[in-house]
Structures are given as structure tokens and as C-alpha cells.
């Protein structure tokens, strides 16, 4: 590689990394907790979820309960188990019965508690797990700007990974085994950046590719809609198997409503280890009533086994639209495997714990890259104005990024202590607290202090997360273990582990290096905690 090409790639890697560093840190930090989105929601509510990955509530009694509150005739009704919670989502389409009033025909969406059949809307059902999950792709920013921002960040992160590999290819292996904690600061951060970057490289590459795919796919497919489908977006989505079929109503009442639970049982008998995650009822109570049972095979049986079958209520006949036990198509492989790789939910708790750790390691790689950039520019020959600007940029970056740790722990405590569930409280607590902490550390103008205080406050608050949970709900770790509340126990253990590690790093950062090693440092260093 020529020197000019090397310099171009090096500067491209550096600039692309610096530009996206804050947004990328937020994505990885919030994304690390997103691996346990369902567990955090169950921890917050104190719920024990024994049956996962499928709809566990009988549909018949639920329909009877809904029918007592509003007319269901002529509606399209959808039951969806998307998250491993006690609640499932229910979507009632507008009734096609023209004899009903506008109010009776109105559509509705809500979450249904499978234990007590209580209902809540989206705002009331909003949990901390949902918040962190949506934060990791900036869904709080009005659509579609937040989605596109996270997608472009993932794309440029992929670009930074590729250029980083090319630039450091010859030094990756020898530098991976090299760590000099008492050398000058730039050397310390470079060694840590290289070693941890190589360890997390496969993980980061997977999430850069899948993240860019999910958030930018609308932009990617736009040329296809214009050229291959001549602007017919509906046709394209049909061929990509997105959406649901449309059945016109006959506007004739059906004499006998079939047993929906019997159809589900018939499907599960047909396909062993089939997990029903969605039930769609089209034209309820009409002679053209259709029931679609959707789901996937247990991951232990088949990793990519998506399927669904449609039953006709009038004569009980069925049509297999997709057989989950058959050979998966290329389209299924692309769509479903990218989701599974991104969510990391196909190998139990173990894979998600590893992904959680690697996500936090990626946060450290981002921070170390920023500090390398600063220390490389902390030179006496640079104009003072430029040096102050560089230091100010990093000060803002560190204040915004590192304060996520204590404010996340604080929000966990608040939602549990006040039994608060809903979007408003979480938004005020997290975003307002994050803003105040960031401003405080920016005004202090001390990067070392920002490092130490965020580690210390975050770790102390983190230890109070399981303590608060035990005091409020009685679900102490040993109680949760005895009662089989694995989700609650896992969240408490994660905070104990994270707080212990954070406190250990804080204590190490307080120790002064030995004088013999200090004498070897020939260049001026900055305080980084």
C-alpha cells in the first residue's frame, strides 16, 4: 500500500469514527441493554413469564371478553406475541358491518394481560425495556429521521471498521498481544483500542451490517420500486412477503364461529415444535371468515423455520401458505436470519450475556478511539486555539457518553421505587437527568473527573438497583431464584456484575503509577481518569 493511500484511509477511519462517535456510543450502550428488553420489562412489572416465544393464552375466552365490550362482527382481529411478556398485542380493525355506528365500527389497538385480561394502551404499557430498545435506534426522534440517523451511523461504522482493518492489518496480530499500561497515554489507549477492537470485531461487523440493513432498507429498495415495480410499492411488499392477505367480506353472518384454539392445536399437531406467535382473524363472524395461524419452529429444531396456515371458517378447509419444516427460501434466509443475528435471541441467555459484554466493550473501543484522537493532537506546536477546540470537542463527547451509565442506573431505581410505568415519567427522568449530568460535566472541564465520577456514581446507583427491587417488590435475588423468576434475577445480576466491574475500574484509576514507570514517559499526558 502506498503512503498516500495509507494516509487517506487512516484519516478516513479517524474522521468517520470521530463524527459518529457520540451517536455510535448511544447505540451500543442502549443496544447492550436492549438484548434484555423483555427481561427489563418483566423486572419492572415484577412478572414471572414461564412460557416464552409463543402465545400462551386461550384465544376463545379472550374473544368472548372482547365481544362483551364491543361488537366484533366484520372485523379483522390480530393477536400478536412479539415480546416475551405476559401481555400480547391486540389489533382490532374497523368493522365492515355497515349497520353499526361509527363509534362501534372504530378500530382499536391495545395490550392484553394474559393473566387478568386487563388492557392498556401503548403509552400506558411503555416500559424501561421498551425505552432503551427504541433509544438504540433513535426512535424518540420523529420518524423517519431517527431511523435514518441510526442507519447512516451504522453504515459509516461499517466504513470505519473496514478502513481500520486495512490500515492496521500488518499490526493487528502483534499489537493484539501488546499492552503497556504504564507507557505514555496515547500508547495506553492505542493498545486498549487495538486489543478490544479485535476481540469485538466480529460482533461489531455483524451489528454494523444488520443495523444499516434494517434502518436504511427503505432507501435501498426505493430504486427497485421505481424501476422493477414501476412505482407499485404494494406489489413489491407482496413479493417480499410483508403484510397480510386481504379477504373481502360477504356481509352474511356465519352460523357457527369455529374454535380458534382448536385450529391452533391442529396446527401444532401438524408441525411438531411449532411456536404460534400470531393469530389473524379476517372478517370475524362473516361467511368469508378466515383464520391465519403464524409462527416459527423452535430454534432447537430449526433455526429458520417460519410458517403459517390459513383456515376457512365456513367449511374448515385449510391452505398451507408456508411450510416451516420445508426448505427455507433465500428470501427467508435474508429476512429472518438478519433479525436473529441482530437480536441474538436464538441461543438463550448465554449468547445475550456475551453480546451484552461485547456491546459494552465496543463502547470502550469508541471512547478509547476518541482519546487517541485527542492525545495525538495534544502537541505544543499546535496553536492554543486549536488545542482548546480539540479538548472541548472531547469534553462534550465524554460528558454526553459517560453520563449514560449513572442516569440509566438512576432510571432503573426510579421506575421501580415509584412503580412507574408509562412513557412520560421515563422520558422526563432519563432525558432531563442525562441533560443535567452532561451540562455539569461539560462545565467542570475535567475529563478525568468525568471518567471517575461517572464510574463511581453509576456503580453505586447500580448496586441500589437490586436493593430497590428487593425493598419494593420483595423479589430479592435469592427469592427470585427460589421462585423461578429468572428474568428478574438476571437483571439484578447484570447490575451487580456491571457495578462491581465499574467500581473496580474506578479504584484502579485512583491508583498512581509507580515512579519507575513514570520516568519512562517522555511526553506530556492528559488526565483521563
Amino acid at each position: 500500500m502506498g503512503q498516500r493511500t495509507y494516509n487517506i484511509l487512516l484519516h478516513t477511519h479517524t474522521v468517520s469514527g470521530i463524527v459518529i462517535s457520540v451517536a455510535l456510543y448511544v447505540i451500543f450502550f442502549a443496544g447492550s441493554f436492549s438484548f434484555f428488553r423483555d427481561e427489563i420489562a418483566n423486572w419492572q412489572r415484577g412478572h414471572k413469564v414461564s412460557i416464552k416465544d409463543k402465545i400462551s393464552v386461550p384465544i376463545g375466552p379472550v374473544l368472548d371478553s372482547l365481544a362483551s365490550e364491543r361488537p366484533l362482527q366484520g372485523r379483522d382481529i390480530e393477536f400478536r406475541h412479539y415480546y416475551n411478556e405476559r401481555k400480547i398485542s391486540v389489533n382490532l380493525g374497523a368493522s365492515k358491518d355497515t349497520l353499526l355506528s361509527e363509534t362501534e365500527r372504530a378500530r382499536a389497538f391495545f395490550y392484553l394481560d394474559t393473566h387478568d385480561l386487563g388492557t392498556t394502551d401503548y403509552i400506558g404499557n411503555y416500559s424501561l425495556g421498551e425505552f432503551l430498545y427504541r433509544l438504540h435506534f433513535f426512535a424518540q426522534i420523529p420518524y423517519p429521521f431517527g431511523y435514518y440517523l441510526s442507519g447512516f451511523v451504522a453504515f459509516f461504522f461499517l466504513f470505519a471498521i473496514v478502513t481500520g482493518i486495512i490500515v492496521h492489518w500488518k499490526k493487528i496480530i502483534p499489537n493484539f498481544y501488546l499492552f503497556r499500561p504504564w507507557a505514555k497515554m496515547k500508547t495506553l489507549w492505542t493498545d486498549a483500542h487495538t486489543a478490544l477492537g479485535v476481540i469485538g470485531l466480529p460482533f461489531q461487523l455483524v451489528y454494523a451490517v444488520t443495523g444499516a440493513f434494517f434502518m436504511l432498507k427503505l432507501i435501498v429498495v426505493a430504486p427497485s420500486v421505481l424501476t422493477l415495480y414501476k412505482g407499485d410499492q404494494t406489489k413489491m411488499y407482496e413479493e417480499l412477503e410483508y403484510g397480510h392477505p386481504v379477504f373481502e367480506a360477504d356481509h352474511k353472518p356465519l352460523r357457527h364461529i369455529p374454535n380458534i384454539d382448536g385450529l391452533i392445536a391442529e396446527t401444532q399437531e401438524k408441525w411438531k415444535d411449532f411456536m404460534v406467535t400470531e393469530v389473524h382473524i379476517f372478517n370475524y363472524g362473516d361467511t368469508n371468515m378466515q383464520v391465519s395461524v403464524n409462527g416459527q419452529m423452535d430454534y432447537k429444531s430449526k433455526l429458520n423455520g417460519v410458517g403459517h396456515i390459513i383456515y376457512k371458517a365456513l367449511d374448515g378447509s385449510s391452505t398451507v401458505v408456508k411450510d416451516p419444516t420445508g426448505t427455507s427460501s433465500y428470501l427467508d434466509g435474508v429476512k429472518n436470519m438478519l433479525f436473529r443475528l441482530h437480536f441474538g435471541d436464538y441461543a438463550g441467555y448465554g449468547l445475550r450475556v456475551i453480546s451484552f459484554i461485547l456491546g459494552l466493550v465496543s463502547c470502550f473501543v469508541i471512547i478509547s478511539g476518541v482519546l487517541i484522537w485527542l492525545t495525538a493532537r495534544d502537541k505544543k506546536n499546535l496553536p492554543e486555539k486549536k488545542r482548546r477546540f480539540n479538548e472541548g470537542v472531547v469534553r462534550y463527547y465524554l460528558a454526553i457518553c459517560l453520563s449514560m451509565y449513572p442516569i440509566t442506573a438512576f432510571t432503573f431505581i426510579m421506575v421501580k421505587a415509584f412503580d412507574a410505568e408509562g412513557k412520560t415519567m421515563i422520558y422526563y427522568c432519563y432525558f432531563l437527568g442525562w441533560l443535567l449530568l452532561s451540562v455539569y460535566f461539560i462545565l467542570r472541564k475535567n475529563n478525568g473527573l468525568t471518567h471517575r465520577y461517572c464510574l463511581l456514581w453509576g456503580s453505586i446507583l447500580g448496586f441500589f438497583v437490586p436493593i430497590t427491587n428487593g425493598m419494593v417488590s420483595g423479589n430479592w435475588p435469592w427469592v427470585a431464584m427460589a421462585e423461578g423468576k429468572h428474568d428478574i434475577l438476571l437483571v439484578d445480576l447484570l447490575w451487580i456484575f456491571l457495578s462491581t466491574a465499574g467500581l473496580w475500574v474506578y479504584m484502579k484509576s485512583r491508583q498512581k503509577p509507580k515512579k519507575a514507570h513514570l520516568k519512562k514517559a517522555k511526553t506530556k499526558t492528559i488526565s483521563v481518569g
Side-chain angles (χ1 to χ4, degrees), residues 96-131:
K96 301 170 187 175
D97 188 348
T98 56
L99 297 179
L100 298 175
S101 65
E102 288 293 330
T103 303
E104 292 175 320
R105 294 174 58 191
R107 62 177 303 160
F109 174 85
F110 52 87
Y111 290 91
L112 179 76
D113 193 316
T114 57
H115 280 217
D116 57 19
L117 300 185
T119 61
T120 52
D121 60 10
Y122 176 76
I123 301 297
N125 190 65
Y126 202 85
S127 67
L128 182 55
E130 176 75 1
F131 171 82

Side-chain angles (χ1 to χ4, degrees), residues 213 217 236-244 331 335 339:
F213 170 78
K217 60 185 176 183
M236 184 199 69
Y237 282 129
E238 287 179 1
E239 293 196 8
L240 291 177
E241 299 180 4
Y242 287 112
H244 305 292
L331 179 62
K335 285 169 42 181
F339 274 101

Side-chain angles (χ1 to χ4, degrees), residues 337-497:
M337 287 308 301
L338 284 177
F339 274 101
R340 300 284 69 81
L341 288 172
H342 194 82
F343 293 150
D345 59 356
Y346 54 88
Y349 285 141
L351 178 61
R352 284 188 287 157
V353 169
I354 293 173
S355 300
F356 175 81
I357 295 173
L358 289 175
L360 296 180
V361 166
S362 300
C363 291
F364 182 85
V365 172
I366 296 167
I367 291 297
S368 61
V370 172
L371 292 172
I372 291 171
W373 179 84
L374 176 62
T375 53
R377 285 154 182 79
D378 186 32
K379 298 177 180 178
K380 294 182 179 179
N381 59 348
L382 283 178
E384 184 64 23
K385 184 177 180 180
K386 192 169 184 179
R387 293 176 64 186
R388 286 201 304 269
F389 173 79
N390 293 339
E391 195 278 332
V393 168
V394 174
R395 185 171 71 249
Y396 276 76
Y397 278 16
L398 294 180
I400 295 171
C401 294
L402 296 180
S403 57
M404 284 189 74
Y405 178 35
I407 198 58
T408 300
F410 176 74
T411 308
F412 267 81
I413 295 172
M414 293 297 289
V415 297
K416 197 65 182 181
F418 293 96
D419 193 22
E421 188 172 22
K423 180 183 287 188
T424 303
M425 188 273 182
I426 295 175
Y427 269 44
Y428 274 112
C429 182
Y430 199 97
F431 286 130
L432 184 59
W434 191 7
L435 175 63
L436 293 175
L437 274 182
S438 299
V439 171
Y440 170 76
F441 287 123
I442 289 171
L443 295 179
R444 290 300 300 265
K445 298 182 179 181
N446 187 323
N447 292 337
L449 179 142
T450 301
H451 276 259
R452 292 191 299 272
Y453 277 23
C454 285
L455 281 172
L456 180 61
W457 294 352
S459 299
I460 292 175
L461 290 171
F463 280 119
F464 275 96
V465 171
I467 293 174
T468 305
N469 181 37
M471 294 177 64
V472 172
S473 64
N475 289 318
W476 297 97
W478 53 89
V479 175
M481 179 182 295
E483 296 180 357
K485 297 179 179 179
H486 301 125
D487 291 354
I488 297 174
L489 175 63
L490 178 63
V491 174
D492 284 344
L493 292 179
L494 281 177
W495 273 109
I496 292 173
F497 162 77

